[in-house]
Amino acid sequence: MAGAPTLYKPEYPEQIRKLCLLGATNVELADFFGVANSTYEKWVRRYPEVREAMRLGKMLANATVAESLYKRATGYSHPEVDIRVVKGEIVKTEIVKHYAPDTTACIFFLKNRDKANWRDRQEIDHSGHMNYTQLTPEELDREIARLAERTKGG
């Protein structure tokens, strides 16, 4: 006795790729195709073309967003056409529009890209021992002065 016929169709991988480009999750994909999430997960396991379509769609979407975030973080320029009405005539002027770097995008990028140096949580040594090798020359001078002052008073 054979199981129920599959609802899967050969044109689905292309639709899956496009939906993943738009950010669709697996649950949303199952809903789009009108199947249970478990059925969609079976398709993912059974059909390599479904897995590949998901991988390509999600990878391209992530790369596109990452590129946009990078541009916002570093600033960018693009050509644009300014259209105005001057003395009853339409005047088109080609311009280059500039966007300054965005601080929030910079912070987000660095916190995710270089967590060791940019995360909010800081490691603080409460042992009383100071790692003097990580101090700047100015910080080292201040620490020496502080210790000297402390030893004079005691």
Side-chain angles (χ1 to χ4, degrees):
M1 178 172 171
T6 182
L7 298 172
Y8 178 80
K9 296 180 182 174
E11 61 267 19
Y12 284 179
E14 181 59 16
Q15 291 173 312
I16 290 168
R17 186 187 66 79
K18 289 176 181 176
L19 289 165
C20 286
L21 280 171
L22 297 172
T25 65
N26 287 9
V27 171
E28 292 167 333
L29 290 164
D31 187 53
F32 177 83
F33 292 111
V35 297
N37 191 48
S38 59
T39 299
Y40 181 76
E41 295 297 334
K42 285 178 188 173
W43 293 354
V44 172
R45 287 189 302 276
R46 182 173 179 190
Y47 302 105
E49 61 272 24
V50 169
R51 284 191 304 278
E52 182 66 4
M54 283 177 45
R55 187 186 71 78
L56 289 174
K58 290 179 180 185
M59 186 173 64
L60 183 55
N62 290 349
T64 302
V65 171
E67 181 181 14
S68 296
L69 175 63
Y70 181 80
K71 284 181 178 179
R72 286 290 289 153
T74 59
Y76 65 101
S77 302
H78 69 85
E80 190 170 285
V81 176
D82 180 59
I83 302 172
R84 298 175 189 239
V85 177
V86 179
K87 297 180 183 175
E89 297 290 321
I90 296 176
V91 177
K92 295 180 182 181
T93 307
E94 291 186 16
I95 61 171
V96 175
K97 196 159 188 177
H98 301 281
Y99 296 88
D102 179 86
T103 305
T104 304
C106 291
I107 292 167
F108 183 82
F109 181 87
L110 289 169
K111 280 183 179 183
N112 285 283
R113 184 75 177 244
D114 188 8
K115 292 176 183 160
N117 292 311
W118 289 93
R119 65 181 172 206
D120 287 330
R121 190 175 121 233
Q122 296 179 357
E123 304 275 333
I124 298 173
D125 181 5
H126 293 286
S127 69
H129 301 288
M130 183 164 242
N131 185 351
Y132 295 107
T133 61
Q134 294 180 350
L135 297 178
T136 66
E138 295 81 15
E139 291 170 329
L140 188 56
D141 288 343
R142 283 195 300 274
E143 185 62 18
I144 290 170
R146 186 185 70 76
L147 290 171
E149 192 63 35
R150 201 164 127 197
T151 54
K152 273 195 243 177

